[in-house]
Amino acid sequence: MSESTLKQGEHDQIGVYERTGAIYEEYRYGSKYRKGYFNIRSEALARLLDTQASGGAMSVVEIGCGTGITLEYLSRTSPNLQLHGIDISQEMLEQAEARFADAKSAPELKLGSVFELPYEDDSFDALYATRFIHQFTQAEKLLIYREFERIVRPGGSIIVEFYGNRFHQEKKEAGRYREKFPDKQDVDEVIGGDYQVIPVSFRGGMRIGEWFGELPLRVILKTLRALRFHRAINEYFAVSRSPAGEKS
Ligand SMILES: C[S@@+](CC[C@H](N)C(=O)[O-])C[C@H]1O[C@@H](n2cnc3c(N)ncnc32)[C@H](O)[C@@H]1O
């Protein structure tokens, strides 16, 4: 396979995805817990997008869409969304293309990098990214968010899943660990404005999910959301609005 000429982040691991694309889903979403987590995460995402669309058509792009598993979920639950996906890995994208080979209306998929998104300003009503942003340094996240704001029309949703082990907690370590698990201050800096936090997993959930399945995960999450008990959050969606004004 030829080297990618697309712009990569400092820690980007395209090679890993090129090698493991075919087994990614089994590895990432195959276990009892991970299936439950995927369903809960996708349901929360669909609800956010459907609320914005309120029954009308809406264009949505997934950044780092990988094998297209979430795009497929949304194409089933929310047929009014016009879906697009982009990913830097040819192998992951091929998995996505194969999944929609027989679909009546497939998402528009593109090979490309988040650092040079091949979309015009204000192209989309909404954007989302799952298991994506943790791959980048804080400085890169800042650039990436400005790129998100460029391609989403003012007022459109930007929905990004963060790994939040240390959300609202002290910064214990510097470097890569902190980049993967940014604290609230880091996330505030990246987003640069108001955002809503929607938890999609919690600490200790994996053990509960593997033993007892999806239902207790849902019940506990609902309680944590109601109590706004952010200390217990693992992954969460940060939901912001693309601001009005000059696009850079
Ligand atoms: C952990 S996977 C997540 C895939 C999918 N979003 C999910 O939730 O399962 C990370 C994805 O980001 C893609 N990616 C990594 N760096 C990228 C970049 N610079 N631009 C676009 N996609 C990138 C990888 O190829 C991979 O498909």
Side-chain angles (χ1 to χ4, degrees):
M1 181 137 339
S2 58
E3 274 291 287
S4 175
T5 53
L6 295 166
K7 189 172 178 334
Q8 303 181 29
E10 198 178 318
H11 306 295
D12 231 326
Q13 294 190 300
I14 302 176
V16 172
Y17 292 107
E18 294 296 71
R19 286 193 301 280
T20 61
I23 54 159
Y24 173 81
E25 279 181 28
E26 183 49 34
Y27 166 69
R28 186 60 76 197
Y29 300 115
S31 79
K32 199 167 166 187
Y33 163 71
R34 286 167 196 261
K35 279 183 187 143
Y37 152 75
F38 174 78
N39 289 338
I40 289 168
R41 182 185 84 185
S42 303
E43 203 176 286
L45 180 63
R47 197 175 308 125
L48 285 165
L49 293 170
D50 289 342
T51 303
Q52 188 188 323
S54 60
M58 188 166 94
S59 60
V60 180
V61 63
E62 175 172 0
I63 311 294
C65 64
T67 60
I69 187 171
T70 309
L71 286 169
E72 184 183 43
Y73 181 99
L74 291 174
S75 69
R76 275 188 278 111
T77 59
S78 312
N80 54 325
L81 303 180
Q82 295 148 6
L83 297 168
H84 300 248
I86 186 163
D87 200 284
I88 202 168
S89 159
Q90 180 80 52
E91 172 63 33
M92 295 291 265
L93 215 58
E94 276 169 19
Q95 301 287 325
E97 278 160 1
R99 128 177 282 134
F100 293 107
D102 299 324
K104 273 201 209 108
S105 66
E108 203 173 310
L109 300 170
K110 280 193 178 171
L111 183 71
S113 170
V114 69
F115 295 108
E116 42 201 14
L117 291 171
Y119 302 115
E120 303 282 315
D121 294 359
D122 301 338
S123 289
F124 301 102
D125 296 305
L127 169 157
Y128 70 90
T130 57
R131 296 203 162 228
F132 176 77
I133 200 84
H134 67 285
Q135 301 174 109
F136 304 99
T137 65
Q138 178 72 1
E140 288 168 346
K141 287 189 186 98
L142 281 158
L143 290 175
I144 288 170
Y145 252 81
R146 303 298 77 81
E147 190 61 352
F148 288 173
E149 290 169 354
R150 182 184 70 74
I151 65 167
V152 175
R153 65 148 174 88
S157 301
I158 298 177
I159 306 168
V160 176
E161 184 186 35
F162 281 85
Y163 285 2
N165 278 6
R166 300 202 173 275
F167 191 72
H168 284 268
Q169 295 186 44
E170 81 286 2
K171 290 180 181 126
K172 200 167 154 202
E173 292 135 72
R176 196 72 192 105
Y177 186 86
R178 180 173 145 199
E179 280 164 3
K180 276 197 168 191
F181 303 100
D183 69 8
K184 185 177 183 311
Q185 210 178 322
D186 297 327
V187 178
D188 287 353
E189 184 189 32
V190 166
I191 299 180
D194 292 342
Y195 62 98
Q196 192 190 357
V197 173
I198 310 283
V200 293
S201 75
F202 58 90
R203 291 159 78 174
M206 189 174 292
R207 202 163 296 165
I208 293 172
E210 290 303 343
W211 284 344
F212 305 112
E214 199 172 310
L215 186 64
L217 294 179
R218 287 181 179 280
V219 173
I220 295 169
L221 255 186
K222 203 170 169 192
T223 311
L224 294 175
R225 283 178 188 163
L227 297 175
R228 299 176 59 81
F229 190 53
H230 287 163
R231 274 176 173 278
I233 296 175
N234 255 358
E235 286 103 338
Y236 62 96
F237 282 128
V239 186
S240 56
R241 297 271 170 201
S242 185
E246 278 291 288
K247 303 278 177 177
S248 49

